Amino acid sequence: MMKQFKSLLFVFPVMVICSCGQNAKKEQTVTADTVQYAKGTFGYDLDFLKKRSRIIVLKSSDGKAQVIVSYKYQAKVFTSTANGNQGRSFGWVNYKAFEAKPDEHMSAYGGEDRLWLGPEGGKFSLFFKPGTKMEFANWHTPFAVDNESWNLISQNDNEVAMNKTTEMVNYANTVLAIKLERNVKILQSADINKMLGTTVGDKVSSVAFSTSNTIINNGNKAWDKTTGAPCLWNLDMFSPSEKTVIVVPYHENATGKVATTDYFGQIPPDRVKYGKGILFFKADGKSRGKLGVPPNRAKTMAGSYDPEHKVLTITLYDVDSKATYLNQEWRTDKPPFVGDAVNAYNDGPLATGGQMGPFYEIESVSPAAFLKPGEKLTHNHSVFHFTGDEAQLNSIALKTLGISLKDIQAAFK
């Protein structure tokens, strides 16, 4: 059992230094005591977040793999590393959001695994007030998963438990009394090998964590197809590179379309491809697009490969091919209980010219939570990062995603 409220507070000052010569490359570093960490390292993000929040750092037995969690920032997993403070920081952190005024639409702090609730759009949307037009001006992320602090229930060196109680009104004007519970656990080497059915070689460094996410009907009325029902939604934000490719395996022998590719306008054909049960999606952060795979097509695993930094990422999650999933599109003219189980997003410039990221996302959602008062639904979602020797990374990719690194990189040549 985890020890209750063990303190892990970090309060020492952080100084930001910038080389500002006319022809100098502008590279920020963070100084903590006598150690400097370059931007992009775990140490940089660790020091940045220490200054702004009571964060919790989960560590592997050897201390090299680390994961940052914050209950103040909606129980997010902000980032992780496989090689200590000097190692690459795998999550995308939106530094400017911490200093900016609160955004009425979304507090985009970043984080390589955040928990949201759906549906985003449709007849039972949680992001639009009843009767409003489904357009960006009226889109607002529910406070409980956007900018409100959560409760810390328990923690130790390997795991943390948090919860949140809230009420929301959906587009059908139904008041939903909700309790959310979220556990985050760092995985040891034996856990990684067992969950993925592979063996991590001695020339590869790894970090992984699992999240258990639970929604409880905290009210006195059932959630059904008349009132509408919410769903749990895990979203993983990662930093892109020029040649990063998202890989989404799918069932070839299932009926119906493989994927919805027009959430934010049709994804150009040179950015999404299909081949032998695998969907490829460019993740360079240069063109905004989102796709989704329905539950009868979706497998329980997706991933990405960044050849520039030699990082293989795997996500593992629950999928129930026979369950009801929610339509999350920003429209009310489609059946609300026919939706996707797995999503991927590539960030890019908006029509106005601005851009939040760049970043890319791999996402999974739970089925609709048709729950009676007191009932609960749990959705599990795990993230694995591997970096190092390409031959050993290739073995992991073949065992998990069913494709070689060479074929992933060839998808868009």
Side-chain angles (χ1 to χ4, degrees):
M1 182 178 294
M2 288 184 284
K3 184 177 179 181
Q4 301 288 317
F5 300 102
K6 180 180 176 183
S7 176
L8 276 176
L9 307 185
F10 302 91
V11 294
F12 55 82
V14 174
M15 177 174 66
V16 176
I17 302 173
C18 179
S19 174
C20 298
Q22 184 176 2
N23 297 317
K25 180 181 178 181
K26 294 183 179 180
E27 180 180 1
Q28 289 184 320
T29 61
V30 170
T31 301
D33 294 337
T34 60
V35 181
Q36 286 190 330
Y37 299 109
K39 195 171 185 180
T41 64
F42 183 78
Y44 182 97
D45 287 345
L46 179 63
D47 288 341
F48 179 90
L49 293 166
K50 281 179 183 177
K51 187 178 179 181
R52 291 158 177 82
S53 172
R54 294 182 177 184
I55 60 172
I56 296 166
V57 180
L58 307 178
K59 296 184 178 183
S60 62
S61 55
D62 64 7
K64 292 183 179 180
Q66 300 183 42
V67 176
I68 298 175
V69 183
S70 173
Y71 57 93
K72 175 183 177 181
Y73 289 100
Q74 304 78 53
K76 294 181 194 294
V77 174
F78 265 113
T79 190
S80 64
T81 182
N83 290 299
N85 286 353
Q86 299 288 355
R88 181 170 175 79
S89 185
F90 293 121
W92 180 74
V93 179
N94 189 12
Y95 309 109
K96 60 186 178 182
F98 292 81
E99 311 302 332
K101 295 179 180 179
D103 190 287
E104 64 172 313
H105 302 290
M106 173 187 177
S107 299
Y109 301 114
E112 74 167 284
D113 184 86
R114 73 181 189 273
L115 180 67
W116 266 9
L117 295 178
E120 184 177 0
K123 295 179 180 179
F124 303 105
S125 169
L126 296 176
F127 288 69
F128 294 94
K129 292 182 179 179
T132 58
K133 186 177 180 181
M134 290 191 178
E135 58 186 16
F136 185 75
N138 299 321
W139 180 83
H140 304 282
T141 308
F143 294 143
V145 293
D146 181 62
N147 54 32
E148 292 182 351
S149 179
W150 282 42
N151 303 309
L152 175 63
I153 304 305
S154 58
Q155 69 176 96
N156 59 29
D157 291 341
N158 306 115
E159 188 172 2
V160 57
M162 300 155 285
N163 71 17
K164 178 71 175 178
T165 301
T166 187
E167 282 192 355
M168 300 180 188
V169 178
N170 67 16
Y171 199 73
N173 208 29
T174 299
V175 178
L176 303 171
I178 295 170
K179 183 175 182 180
L180 298 169
E181 297 176 344
R182 179 162 154 93
N183 286 25
V184 180
K185 180 180 180 180
I186 192 168
L187 300 173
Q188 306 300 327
S189 296
D191 300 320
I192 295 171
N193 290 335
K194 182 178 180 180
M195 291 177 70
L196 295 183
T198 188
T199 300
V200 178
D202 58 357
K203 296 180 182 178
V204 167
S205 299
S206 62
V207 61
F209 61 88
S210 63
T211 71
S212 175
N213 311 279
T214 299
I215 185 169
I216 301 169
N217 183 339
N218 212 33
N220 54 18
K221 294 183 179 179
W223 300 339
D224 54 32
K225 290 190 175 183
T226 301
T227 63
C231 66
L232 296 158
W233 187 5
N234 284 74
L235 304 96
D236 304 332
M237 306 176 85
F238 306 121
S239 297
S241 73
E242 186 70 28
K243 296 183 179 180
T244 300
V245 176
I246 296 171
V247 180
V248 186
Y250 62 88
H251 293 291
E252 283 189 285
N253 58 355
T255 59
K257 64 181 178 181
V258 172
T260 299
T261 56
D262 60 352
Y263 273 90
F264 301 128
Q266 183 61 48
I267 300 172
D270 63 341
R271 290 189 157 270
V272 60
K273 292 186 178 181
Y274 309 83
K276 297 181 180 179
I278 294 179
L279 185 155
F280 303 96
F281 185 25
K282 274 190 179 182
D284 57 5
K286 294 183 176 181
S287 178
R288 187 169 182 255
K290 178 178 176 177
L291 58 81
V293 180
N296 68 315
R297 288 280 194 178
K299 293 188 175 182
T300 60
M301 187 180 294
S304 64
Y305 184 59
D306 174 359
E308 179 181 339
H309 301 99
K310 295 182 180 179
V311 176
L312 174 66
T313 297
I314 304 293
T315 57
L316 184 69
Y317 37 76
D318 296 337
V319 175
D320 185 346
S321 62
K322 297 181 180 180
T324 298
Y325 285 77
L326 301 170
N327 189 314
Q328 305 226 44
E329 296 175 85
W330 290 14
R331 54 196 301 173
T332 59
D333 60 345
K334 285 193 174 182
F337 300 112
V338 179
D340 296 322
V342 179
N343 296 98
Y345 173 81
N346 183 53
D347 191 44
L350 299 167
T352 57
Q355 184 170 355
M356 185 184 301
F359 59 87
Y360 71 96
E361 291 182 331
I362 301 176
E363 311 168 8
S364 73
V365 298
S366 76
F370 295 127
L371 302 176
K372 296 177 182 178
E375 289 184 338
K376 63 177 63 177
L377 179 148
T378 297
H379 181 67
N380 298 295
H381 181 106
S382 301
V383 177
F384 306 77
H385 297 291
F386 305 96
T387 186
D389 180 76
E390 280 196 289
Q392 293 188 358
L393 292 176
N394 187 61
S395 296
I396 298 171
L398 286 167
K399 187 68 175 180
T400 54
L401 299 173
I403 188 171
S404 69
L405 299 184
K406 180 180 178 181
D407 287 341
I408 294 173
Q409 293 174 78
F412 294 104
K413 284 186 177 179

